[in-house]
Amino acid sequence: MGKYVIAGNWKMNKTPAEATELIEAIKPLVKDATCDVVVGVPFVDLCAALEAVKGSNIGVAAQNCHWEKSGAYTGEISAEMLKAMGVGYVILGHSERRTYFGDTDVTVQKRMRAALDAGLTVILCVGEYLEQREQGVTGEVCAMQTKIALGGVSKEELARVIIAYEPVWAIGTGRTATAEQANEVCALIRETVAGLYDGDAAAAVTIQYGGSMNAANAAELLAQSDVDGGLIGGASLKPQDFATIVAAAK
Ligand code: PEP
């Protein structure tokens, strides 16, 4: 299965000074990690975060990027700009962006294209709303989001795509998917990738689970056969909890 990656999504939290402090606290706790470790920070914290992670095993992610390289897009940040700063990763299609800021499968696909062209690694978020789970269409929703976002992505480029299965009802709610639910959908996403590419590509792609993963439930979720890591919101702001999750990703 894919390489284990534990990524924190700090959302709209921490000033630059606080970002430095948090990374300094995390660094010694994850230095022996056997998985990849990433922190997804607000745009204004990127400089401080890139400075703080120097010489460590921690990568830095932005939480979004625009699909154009430059232009009249007030308030936006391009993938090229992120790459030029030294940022390695970008989170795309997070449900909070889809729900509150109008991101759609189509704009996620465009952002994906721009991010890959710029040389970034993408953490692509997919996941169903509670109503969709209750209607029995979780598989269809996640497969559709995955297929559209990966439209035009070559097999070589797929090596720079991490997929995060994030059921919307589990994000920030304290309500985690059961390990079985998480594994079932991660497996389905892997099958979708196999259908788009081939079995090798599906086996190699990293598929994370995200949604109220914490220090107490991480080991069980990460032990599932199709779960190759986690996208962690709230618990990524607590150094010891984040480190416990990283240690569980073996
Ligand atoms: C997230 O923001 O991607 C997330 C999974 O948040 P939380 O862990 O707080 O549910």
mmCIF file of all heavy atoms in Angstrom, residues 9 11 94 96 166 170-173 210-213 231-234, ligand 1:
data_model
loop_
_atom_site.group_PDB
_atom_site.id
_atom_site.type_symbol
_atom_site.label_atom_id
_atom_site.label_comp_id
_atom_site.label_asym_id
_atom_site.label_seq_id
_atom_site.Cartn_x
_atom_site.Cartn_y
_atom_site.Cartn_z
ATOM 1 N N ASN A 9 -3.739 19.585 9.531
ATOM 2 C CA ASN A 9 -4.431 20.708 8.894
ATOM 3 C C ASN A 9 -4.767 21.690 10.007
ATOM 4 O O ASN A 9 -5.695 21.459 10.773
ATOM 5 C CB ASN A 9 -5.706 20.230 8.190
ATOM 6 C CG ASN A 9 -6.503 21.401 7.638
ATOM 7 O OD1 ASN A 9 -5.976 22.494 7.475
ATOM 8 N ND2 ASN A 9 -7.777 21.171 7.354
ATOM 9 N N LYS A 11 -5.975 24.548 9.749
ATOM 10 C CA LYS A 11 -7.107 25.416 9.394
ATOM 11 C C LYS A 11 -6.729 26.879 9.646
ATOM 12 O O LYS A 11 -5.592 27.258 9.441
ATOM 13 C CB LYS A 11 -8.363 24.995 10.154
ATOM 14 C CG LYS A 11 -8.584 23.472 10.135
ATOM 15 C CD LYS A 11 -9.933 23.070 10.598
ATOM 16 C CE LYS A 11 -9.979 21.566 10.780
ATOM 17 N NZ LYS A 11 -11.284 21.018 10.517
ATOM 18 N N HIS A 94 -10.639 20.544 0.420
ATOM 19 C CA HIS A 94 -11.098 20.279 1.782
ATOM 20 C C HIS A 94 -12.591 20.610 1.870
ATOM 21 O O HIS A 94 -13.064 21.573 1.264
ATOM 22 C CB HIS A 94 -10.299 21.120 2.783
ATOM 23 C CG HIS A 94 -10.537 20.699 4.198
ATOM 24 N ND1 HIS A 94 -11.650 21.077 4.900
ATOM 25 C CD2 HIS A 94 -9.816 19.893 5.021
ATOM 26 C CE1 HIS A 94 -11.605 20.529 6.115
ATOM 27 N NE2 HIS A 94 -10.504 19.803 6.209
ATOM 28 N N GLU A 96 -14.301 22.018 4.047
ATOM 29 C CA GLU A 96 -14.625 23.372 4.518
ATOM 30 C C GLU A 96 -14.537 24.362 3.360
ATOM 31 O O GLU A 96 -15.292 25.333 3.302
ATOM 32 C CB GLU A 96 -13.701 23.759 5.686
ATOM 33 C CG GLU A 96 -14.094 23.006 6.955
ATOM 34 C CD GLU A 96 -12.983 22.825 7.958
ATOM 35 O OE1 GLU A 96 -11.939 23.473 7.847
ATOM 36 O OE2 GLU A 96 -13.169 21.994 8.866
ATOM 37 N N GLU A 166 -12.225 11.990 3.790
ATOM 38 C CA GLU A 166 -12.688 12.746 4.944
ATOM 39 C C GLU A 166 -14.217 12.845 4.935
ATOM 40 O O GLU A 166 -14.784 13.756 4.293
ATOM 41 C CB GLU A 166 -12.103 14.155 4.917
ATOM 42 C CG GLU A 166 -10.593 14.188 5.011
ATOM 43 C CD GLU A 166 -10.127 15.411 5.774
ATOM 44 O OE1 GLU A 166 -10.492 16.528 5.395
ATOM 45 O OE2 GLU A 166 -9.417 15.242 6.768
ATOM 46 N N ALA A 170 -17.626 13.749 9.995
ATOM 47 C CA ALA A 170 -16.638 13.393 11.026
ATOM 48 C C ALA A 170 -15.614 14.500 11.250
ATOM 49 O O ALA A 170 -14.782 14.395 12.147
ATOM 50 C CB ALA A 170 -15.919 12.103 10.618
ATOM 51 N N ILE A 171 -15.695 15.558 10.448
ATOM 52 C CA ILE A 171 -14.655 16.607 10.540
ATOM 53 C C ILE A 171 -15.018 17.621 11.612
ATOM 54 O O ILE A 171 -16.061 18.279 11.533
ATOM 55 C CB ILE A 171 -14.458 17.304 9.175
ATOM 56 C CG1 ILE A 171 -13.941 16.283 8.170
ATOM 57 C CG2 ILE A 171 -13.483 18.469 9.303
ATOM 58 C CD1 ILE A 171 -13.743 16.837 6.794
ATOM 59 N N GLY A 172 -14.162 17.703 12.606
ATOM 60 C CA GLY A 172 -14.344 18.701 13.663
ATOM 61 C C GLY A 172 -15.539 18.432 14.557
ATOM 62 O O GLY A 172 -15.958 19.293 15.323
ATOM 63 N N THR A 173 -16.109 17.242 14.457
ATOM 64 C CA THR A 173 -17.328 16.939 15.215
ATOM 65 C C THR A 173 -17.061 16.030 16.405
ATOM 66 O O THR A 173 -17.935 15.840 17.243
ATOM 67 C CB THR A 173 -18.342 16.197 14.307
ATOM 68 O OG1 THR A 173 -17.711 15.000 13.819
ATOM 69 C CG2 THR A 173 -18.775 17.065 13.142
ATOM 70 N N GLY A 210 -9.294 11.038 7.351
ATOM 71 C CA GLY A 210 -9.350 12.250 8.173
ATOM 72 C C GLY A 210 -10.755 12.460 8.701
ATOM 73 O O GLY A 210 -11.742 12.204 7.999
ATOM 74 N N GLY A 211 -10.849 12.903 9.924
ATOM 75 C CA GLY A 211 -12.148 13.163 10.550
ATOM 76 C C GLY A 211 -12.085 12.764 12.007
ATOM 77 O O GLY A 211 -12.252 11.591 12.335
ATOM 78 N N SER A 212 -11.751 13.766 12.852
ATOM 79 C CA SER A 212 -11.668 13.521 14.295
ATOM 80 C C SER A 212 -10.707 12.388 14.658
ATOM 81 O O SER A 212 -10.937 11.668 15.635
ATOM 82 C CB SER A 212 -13.062 13.283 14.884
ATOM 83 O OG SER A 212 -13.872 14.423 14.685
ATOM 84 N N MET A 213 -9.648 12.222 13.867
ATOM 85 C CA MET A 213 -8.614 11.268 14.282
ATOM 86 C C MET A 213 -7.857 11.919 15.438
ATOM 87 O O MET A 213 -7.570 13.113 15.412
ATOM 88 C CB MET A 213 -7.646 10.934 13.140
ATOM 89 C CG MET A 213 -6.746 9.745 13.488
ATOM 90 S SD MET A 213 -5.444 9.423 12.266
ATOM 91 C CE MET A 213 -6.319 8.549 10.993
ATOM 92 N N LEU A 231 -5.161 12.733 7.855
ATOM 93 C CA LEU A 231 -5.197 14.200 7.785
ATOM 94 C C LEU A 231 -5.868 14.624 9.087
ATOM 95 O O LEU A 231 -7.011 14.240 9.358
ATOM 96 C CB LEU A 231 -5.969 14.663 6.549
ATOM 97 C CG LEU A 231 -6.013 16.181 6.308
ATOM 98 C CD1 LEU A 231 -4.617 16.788 6.235
ATOM 99 C CD2 LEU A 231 -6.767 16.502 5.023
ATOM 100 N N ILE A 232 -5.131 15.378 9.867
ATOM 101 C CA ILE A 232 -5.517 15.610 11.253
ATOM 102 C C ILE A 232 -5.800 17.086 11.465
ATOM 103 O O ILE A 232 -4.913 17.921 11.237
ATOM 104 C CB ILE A 232 -4.350 15.221 12.220
ATOM 105 C CG1 ILE A 232 -3.597 13.967 11.752
ATOM 106 C CG2 ILE A 232 -4.844 15.112 13.639
ATOM 107 C CD1 ILE A 232 -4.394 12.714 11.685
ATOM 108 N N GLY A 233 -6.989 17.428 11.913
ATOM 109 C CA GLY A 233 -7.315 18.822 12.193
ATOM 110 C C GLY A 233 -6.988 19.176 13.636
ATOM 111 O O GLY A 233 -5.845 19.443 13.987
ATOM 112 N N GLY A 234 -7.985 19.154 14.483
ATOM 113 C CA GLY A 234 -7.849 19.607 15.869
ATOM 114 C C GLY A 234 -6.637 19.033 16.592
ATOM 115 O O GLY A 234 -5.887 19.770 17.258
HETATM 116 C C1 PEP B 1 -9.550 18.209 8.828
HETATM 117 O O1 PEP B 1 -9.617 19.423 9.013
HETATM 118 O O2 PEP B 1 -9.165 17.771 7.750
HETATM 119 C C2 PEP B 1 -9.932 17.307 9.917
HETATM 120 C C3 PEP B 1 -9.886 16.023 9.717
HETATM 121 O O3 PEP B 1 -10.297 17.915 11.088
HETATM 122 P P1 PEP B 1 -10.555 17.171 12.499
HETATM 123 O O4 PEP B 1 -9.412 16.216 12.706
HETATM 124 O O5 PEP B 1 -10.556 18.277 13.510
HETATM 125 O O6 PEP B 1 -11.848 16.453 12.400
#
